[in-house]
C-alpha cells in the first residue's frame, strides 16, 4: 500500500518516533483503509471545471495530441480522447475534451532523463537501514536503489505544478524550454486567485513580471534552483532538444500545452 509508504517517509522526514508510528498504524487500520480508498477513488481536477471548456483551443489541442504521441507518449502513457470517438460529431465540447481511457504500464519503469540525480543517488546510503526497520517489514516495503525516477501518468498534470521530482520548474512553458532558458529562481506563492496566481498560458506559477508582488515580500516563497539537489536541468537532451536546440517550434509547444490542459 503506497499510502503506508507515504506515512513512513513523511514521518521519518519529520523525525517521528517510529515505534509510536507503527503503534498508530496498527490501531488505525480502518482509517488508513478509508484514506487509501479515498486517494485512489478521487478523480483529478479538470482544467475546464475552473476555466471553462471554451478556454481550450480544441483545434490546437488536437494538433498537440500528435506532438505528445510523438514526443511524450513512450514514457508518460497514452490518452484516448472524446474527440477521436466515432460519434464525436454528436458530442458536446466538454465530451470531446474528455479523456475516455488512460493507457499506462501496469508496472512502472524508472527512467533517467537527466534531472537532478541527488535524490536517487542518496537512496543507496540509507536503503539498507530503511529495509531493516520492523515497520518496513510489516508494511512489506522494500527500497531498492535505482537510477532515475518514475515518469508519472499525466492525468491532471495542469494542476500539479511546479514540475519535476524536486519542484524546480514553475510551469509548462519553462519545462518545454532548453535548460539555459529556464528560470533559475521563481516564487511559489499560494494559489488563491486563479487569475493572478496562475499562468493559464504557461500552466503553472507566473514568473518574471507576472509574479505577484505580494509573493516577493516573503523569502519563504522563493525557489532557488542553484541550491544543491534543486537544479532544474534534465528532460531535455534527446527528448525536447537535439544538440542544444529545441526540437519543437513555438506553435508546437503552444499546441502541446493545450493538449496537456485536457488530461
Amino acid at each position: 500500500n503506497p499510502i503506508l509508504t507515504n506515512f513512513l517517509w513523511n514521518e521519518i522526514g519529520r523525525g517521528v518516533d517510529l515505534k509510536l508510528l507503527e503503534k498508530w498504524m496498527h490501531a488505525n487500520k480502518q482509517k488508513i483503509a478509508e484514506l487509501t480508498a479515498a486517494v485512489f477513488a478521487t478523480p483529478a481536477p479538470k482544467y475546464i471545471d475552473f476555466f471553462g471548456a471554451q478556454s481550450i483551443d480544441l483545434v490546437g489541442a488536437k494538433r498537440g495530441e500528435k506532438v505528445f504521441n510523438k514526443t511524450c507518449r513512450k514514457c508518460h502513457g497514452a490518452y484516448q480522447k472524446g474527440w477521436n470517438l466515432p460519434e464525436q460529431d454528436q458530442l458536446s465540447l466538454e465530451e470531446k475534451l474528455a479523456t475516455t481511457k488512460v493507457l499506462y504500464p501496469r508496472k512502472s519503469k524508472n527512467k533517467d532523463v537527466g534531472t537532478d540525480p541527488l535524490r536517487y543517488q542518496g537512496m543507496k546510503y540509507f536503503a539498507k537501514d530503511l529495509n531493516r526497520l520492523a515497520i518496513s517489514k510489516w508494511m512489506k516495503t522494500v527500497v531498492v536503489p535505482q537510477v532515475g525516477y518514475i515518469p508519472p501518468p499525466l492525468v491532471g498534470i495542469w494542476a500539479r505544478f511546479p514540475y519535476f521530482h524536486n519542484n524546480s520548474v514553475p510551469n509548462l512553458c519553462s519545462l518545454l524550454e532548453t535548460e539555459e532558458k529556464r528560470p533559475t529562481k521563481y516564487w511559489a506563492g499560494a494559489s488563491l486567485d486563479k487569475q493572478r496566481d496562475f499562468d493559464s498560458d504557461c500552466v503553472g506559477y507566473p514568473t518574471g513580471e507576472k509574479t505577484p508582488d505580494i509573493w516577493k515580500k516573503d523569502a519563504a516563497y522563493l525557489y532557488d534552483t542553484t541550491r544543491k539537489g534543486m537544479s532544474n536541468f534534465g528532460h531535455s537532451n534527446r527528448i525536447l532538444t537535439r544538440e542544444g536546440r529545441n526540437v519543437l517550434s513555438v506553435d508546437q509547444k503552444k499546441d502541446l500545452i493545450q493538449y496537456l490542459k485536457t488530461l
Side-chain angles (χ1 to χ4, degrees):
N1 184 344
I3 299 300
L4 294 179
T5 306
N6 284 339
F7 272 126
L8 177 60
W9 284 69
N10 289 338
E11 296 307 315
I12 284 179
R14 299 201 307 170
V16 76
D17 184 322
L18 294 182
K19 291 183 178 179
L20 291 178
L21 176 61
E22 185 174 12
K23 183 178 180 180
W24 183 89
M25 285 183 169
H26 280 292
N28 292 275
K29 292 181 180 179
Q30 183 59 35
K31 287 184 179 180
I32 293 173
E34 293 172 358
L35 175 61
T36 302
V39 168
F40 281 94
T42 302
K46 296 180 180 180
Y47 186 90
I48 63 175
D49 289 343
F50 292 83
F51 299 96
Q54 297 296 334
S55 67
I56 301 292
D57 175 4
L58 178 60
V59 176
K62 289 181 178 180
R63 292 194 300 261
E65 179 183 33
K66 296 179 181 178
V67 177
F68 179 90
N69 288 338
K70 183 178 179 179
T71 310
C72 319
R73 176 175 178 166
K74 183 178 179 180
C75 291
H76 291 288
Y79 305 84
Q80 296 180 0
K81 304 300 295 182
W83 63 61
N84 290 324
L85 293 174
E87 67 275 19
Q88 62 93 17
D89 288 340
Q90 285 75 49
L91 299 180
S92 66
L93 178 57
E94 289 80 2
E95 291 171 327
K96 290 178 181 179
L97 294 172
T99 300
T100 59
K101 190 174 184 179
V102 178
L103 303 174
Y104 186 78
R106 289 183 61 85
K107 186 175 182 180
S108 301
K109 295 182 179 180
N110 56 293
K111 301 281 185 178
D112 182 6
V113 294
T115 50
D116 196 294
L118 291 186
R119 181 177 293 184
Y120 73 71
Q121 288 177 352
M123 190 65 62
K124 64 183 179 182
Y125 294 102
F126 58 92
K128 183 177 179 180
D129 285 335
L130 275 175
N131 290 333
R132 71 180 177 83
L133 293 174
I135 190 172
S136 294
K137 294 177 179 178
W138 170 71
M139 290 165 46
K140 299 180 181 180
T141 293
V142 179
V143 177
V144 180
Q146 61 187 20
V147 175
Y149 306 97
I150 299 294
L154 301 184
V155 177
I157 189 63
W158 75 272
R160 285 155 53 185
F161 60 95
Y163 299 104
F164 289 175
H165 68 277
N166 59 358
N167 298 333
S168 60
V169 178
N171 53 49
L172 291 181
C173 284
S174 301
L175 190 152
L176 296 177
E177 275 292 355
T178 53
E179 295 168 348
E180 67 273 9
K181 292 184 178 181
R182 293 172 183 162
T184 56
K185 296 180 180 180
Y186 72 88
W187 277 266
S191 295
L192 304 177
D193 185 325
K194 67 180 183 181
Q195 302 300 331
R196 182 196 65 186
D197 304 333
F198 179 76
D199 189 330
S200 58
D201 292 326
C202 285
V203 181
Y205 285 119
T207 59
E209 295 180 353
K210 293 183 178 180
T211 303
D213 291 335
I214 192 172
W215 291 2
K216 299 177 183 179
K217 297 178 181 179
D218 191 339
Y221 287 153
L222 182 64
Y223 190 105
D224 185 353
T225 66
T226 65
R227 295 176 60 188
K228 193 172 184 179
M230 299 170 69
S231 67
N232 63 1
F233 56 78
H235 204 277
S236 180
N237 188 32
R238 304 187 310 275
I239 302 174
L240 298 173
T241 63
R242 296 287 188 279
E243 299 179 352
R245 299 180 62 183
N246 203 312
V247 299
L248 300 180
S249 69
V250 173
D251 288 338
Q252 284 177 317
K253 286 188 283 188
K254 288 181 179 179
D255 290 341
L256 179 56
I257 289 176
Q258 286 297 315
Y259 175 70
L260 292 174
K261 287 179 180 181
T262 73
L263 300 185

